[in-house]
Protein backbone atom coordinates (compact mmCIF):
# COMPACT_ATOMS: atom_id res chain seq x y z
CA UNK A 1 0.00 0.00 0.00
CA UNK A 2 1.17 3.52 -0.78
CA UNK A 3 0.34 6.82 0.88
CA UNK A 4 -0.92 9.93 -0.89
CA UNK A 5 -2.55 13.11 0.35
CA UNK A 6 -5.95 14.59 -0.36
CA UNK A 7 -6.05 18.24 0.67
CA UNK A 8 -2.99 17.65 2.88
CA UNK A 9 -4.53 14.70 4.71
CA UNK A 10 -2.81 11.34 4.25
CA UNK A 11 -4.70 8.40 2.83
CA UNK A 12 -3.62 5.05 1.45
CA UNK A 13 -4.06 3.10 -1.74
CA UNK A 14 -4.75 -0.62 -2.01
CA UNK A 15 -1.25 -1.41 -3.28
CA UNK A 16 1.75 -0.16 -5.21
CA UNK A 17 2.30 0.98 -8.77
CA UNK A 18 4.26 -1.37 -11.01
CA UNK A 19 8.02 -0.82 -10.83
CA UNK A 20 10.14 0.68 -13.57
CA UNK A 21 11.50 -2.28 -15.53
CA UNK A 22 8.38 -4.44 -14.99
CA UNK A 23 6.07 -5.40 -17.80
CA UNK A 24 2.99 -3.19 -17.91
CA UNK A 25 0.29 -5.11 -16.06
CA UNK A 26 -2.57 -6.21 -18.29
CA UNK A 27 -5.64 -4.05 -18.05
CA UNK A 28 -9.20 -3.96 -19.26
CA UNK A 29 -11.09 -0.67 -19.41
CA UNK A 30 -14.48 0.42 -20.71
CA UNK A 31 -14.50 2.85 -23.63
CA UNK A 32 -16.99 5.60 -24.36
CA UNK A 33 -18.90 3.15 -26.59
CA UNK A 34 -19.39 0.88 -23.49
CA UNK A 35 -17.19 -1.77 -25.11
CA UNK A 36 -14.16 -3.09 -23.31
CA UNK A 37 -10.60 -2.61 -24.53
CA UNK A 38 -7.29 -3.94 -23.26
CA UNK A 39 -3.65 -2.95 -23.31
CA UNK A 40 -3.12 -5.62 -25.99
CA UNK A 41 -4.78 -3.27 -28.49
CA UNK A 42 -1.77 -0.96 -28.08
CA UNK A 43 0.90 -3.62 -28.76
CA UNK A 44 3.97 -2.07 -30.37
CA UNK A 45 3.07 1.43 -29.20
CA UNK A 46 4.32 3.44 -26.29
CA UNK A 47 1.60 3.90 -23.67
CA UNK A 48 1.02 6.74 -21.23
CA UNK A 49 -1.60 6.01 -18.58
CA UNK A 50 -2.91 9.24 -17.07
CA UNK A 51 -4.86 8.04 -14.03
CA UNK A 52 -7.03 10.39 -11.97
CA UNK A 53 -10.05 10.45 -9.62
CA UNK A 54 -12.72 12.20 -11.75
CA UNK A 55 -13.13 14.49 -14.73
CA UNK A 56 -15.50 16.54 -12.58
CA UNK A 57 -12.54 18.24 -10.92
CA UNK A 58 -10.48 21.05 -12.39
CA UNK A 59 -7.11 19.34 -11.89
CA UNK A 60 -8.24 16.07 -13.50
CA UNK A 61 -9.75 17.91 -16.46
CA UNK A 62 -6.57 19.98 -16.82
CA UNK A 63 -4.40 16.85 -16.92
CA UNK A 64 -6.50 15.35 -19.72
CA UNK A 65 -6.34 18.61 -21.68
CA UNK A 66 -2.56 18.82 -21.22
CA UNK A 67 -1.92 15.21 -22.20
CA UNK A 68 -4.19 15.73 -25.23
CA UNK A 69 -1.92 18.61 -26.33
CA UNK A 70 1.25 16.65 -25.68
CA UNK A 71 0.00 13.51 -27.43
CA UNK A 72 -0.45 15.39 -30.69
CA UNK A 73 3.34 15.74 -30.83
CA UNK A 74 4.25 12.14 -29.91
CA UNK A 75 4.94 9.43 -32.45
CA UNK A 76 3.86 5.84 -31.90
CA UNK A 77 2.34 6.76 -28.54
CA UNK A 78 -1.14 6.38 -27.12
CA UNK A 79 -2.37 8.28 -24.07
CA UNK A 80 -5.12 6.61 -22.05
CA UNK A 81 -7.04 8.70 -19.51
CA UNK A 82 -8.23 6.37 -16.75
CA UNK A 83 -10.80 7.12 -14.06
CA UNK A 84 -13.89 5.56 -12.56
CA UNK A 85 -16.10 8.12 -14.28
CA UNK A 86 -18.87 6.51 -16.28
CA UNK A 87 -17.96 6.10 -19.96
CA UNK A 88 -20.83 8.36 -21.01
CA UNK A 89 -19.47 11.18 -18.84
CA UNK A 90 -15.98 10.64 -20.26
CA UNK A 91 -17.41 10.79 -23.77
CA UNK A 92 -19.29 14.03 -23.07
CA UNK A 93 -16.18 15.62 -21.60
CA UNK A 94 -13.97 14.58 -24.52
CA UNK A 95 -16.50 15.83 -27.06
CA UNK A 96 -17.08 19.14 -25.29
CA UNK A 97 -13.34 19.74 -24.84
CA UNK A 98 -12.25 18.57 -28.29
CA UNK A 99 -10.12 15.78 -26.82
CA UNK A 100 -8.96 13.75 -29.82
CA UNK A 101 -5.54 12.44 -28.75
CA UNK A 102 -6.49 10.70 -25.51
CA UNK A 103 -8.34 7.40 -25.30
CA UNK A 104 -10.85 7.57 -22.44
CA UNK A 105 -10.99 4.44 -20.31
CA UNK A 106 -13.35 3.86 -17.43
CA UNK A 107 -12.34 1.50 -14.63
CA UNK A 108 -15.86 1.51 -13.19
CA UNK A 109 -16.44 -2.23 -13.77
CA UNK A 110 -12.89 -3.54 -13.98
CA UNK A 111 -10.10 -4.43 -11.56
CA UNK A 112 -7.74 -1.75 -12.91
CA UNK A 113 -7.54 0.14 -9.60
CA UNK A 114 -6.62 -2.97 -7.66
CA UNK A 115 -4.25 -4.31 -10.34
CA UNK A 116 -2.32 -1.03 -10.40
CA UNK A 117 -2.59 -0.42 -6.64
CA UNK A 118 -4.41 2.87 -7.17
CA UNK A 119 -7.83 2.50 -5.56
CA UNK A 120 -8.04 4.92 -2.64
CA UNK A 121 -8.84 3.33 0.71
CA UNK A 122 -9.74 6.50 2.58
CA UNK A 123 -10.56 10.20 2.28
CA UNK A 124 -13.76 11.54 0.74
CA UNK A 125 -12.49 10.02 -2.54
CA UNK A 126 -12.48 6.47 -1.16
CA UNK A 127 -13.06 3.95 -3.96
CA UNK A 128 -11.86 6.31 -6.69
CA UNK A 129 -8.39 6.17 -8.25
CA UNK A 130 -5.35 8.07 -7.00
CA UNK A 131 -3.60 10.43 -9.43
CA UNK A 132 -0.74 8.69 -11.19
CA UNK A 133 1.13 8.40 -14.47
CA UNK A 134 2.55 5.16 -15.83
CA UNK A 135 4.61 5.14 -19.03
CA UNK A 136 5.55 2.00 -20.96
CA UNK A 137 7.76 1.65 -24.01
CA UNK A 138 6.75 -0.07 -27.27
CA UNK A 139 7.71 -3.44 -25.75
CA UNK A 140 5.35 -2.96 -22.80
CA UNK A 141 8.16 -2.32 -20.31
CA UNK A 142 7.39 0.28 -17.65
CA UNK A 143 9.87 3.16 -18.06
CA UNK A 144 8.32 5.73 -15.69
CA UNK A 145 5.82 5.94 -12.86
CA UNK A 146 4.58 8.75 -10.69
CA UNK A 147 2.12 8.47 -7.85
CA UNK A 148 1.28 12.13 -7.32
CA UNK A 149 1.83 12.95 -3.64
CA UNK A 150 -1.04 15.44 -3.39
CA UNK A 151 -4.13 14.36 -5.35
CA UNK A 152 -5.15 17.97 -5.89
CA UNK A 153 -2.00 18.75 -7.95
CA UNK A 154 -1.15 17.94 -11.56
CA UNK A 155 1.34 15.25 -12.52
CA UNK A 156 4.90 15.93 -13.71
CA UNK A 157 4.31 16.04 -17.47
CA UNK A 158 7.95 16.82 -18.32
CA UNK A 159 9.33 13.77 -16.52
CA UNK A 160 6.74 11.49 -18.13
CA UNK A 161 7.75 12.74 -21.58
CA UNK A 162 11.46 12.57 -20.79
CA UNK A 163 11.04 8.86 -20.03
CA UNK A 164 10.03 8.32 -23.66
CA UNK A 165 13.35 9.65 -24.99
Amino acid sequence: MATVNFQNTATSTVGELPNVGDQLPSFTLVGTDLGEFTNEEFAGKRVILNVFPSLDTGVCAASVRRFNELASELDNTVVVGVSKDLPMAQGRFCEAEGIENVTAGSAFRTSFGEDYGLTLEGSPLQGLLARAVVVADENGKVVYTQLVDEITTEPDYDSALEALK
Side-chain angles (χ1 to χ4, degrees), residues 70-115:
L70 296 169
S72 69
E73 303 168 6
L74 300 173
D75 293 326
N76 195 39
T77 304
V78 62
V79 176
V80 182
V82 184
S83 68
K84 287 197 175 178
D85 290 302
L86 292 176
M88 296 78 71
Q90 290 176 331
R92 280 192 305 275
F93 174 84
C94 290
E95 185 175 324
E97 296 287 332
I99 305 296
E100 298 177 352
N101 302 309
V102 173
T103 300
S106 177
F108 87 108
R109 66 176 185 214
T110 74
S111 62
F112 179 91
E114 290 71 28
D115 297 342

Side-chain angles (χ1 to χ4, degrees), residues 2 20 22 28 31 41 46 51-52 63 75 88 101 103 106 110 113 123 130 137 147 159:
V20 170
D22 289 351
T28 300
E41 295 178 33
R46 303 180 305 177
V51 186
F52 49 88
S63 74
D75 293 326
M88 296 78 71
N101 302 309
T103 300
S106 177
T110 74
S123 86
D137 67 13
L147 178 62
S159 293

Side-chain angles (χ1 to χ4, degrees), residues 118-139:
L118 290 171
T119 300
L120 292 166
E121 291 187 315
S123 86
L125 301 180
Q126 182 175 353
L128 297 178
L129 302 176
R131 185 176 316 286
V133 176
V134 179
V135 179
D137 67 13
E138 59 275 356
N139 298 311

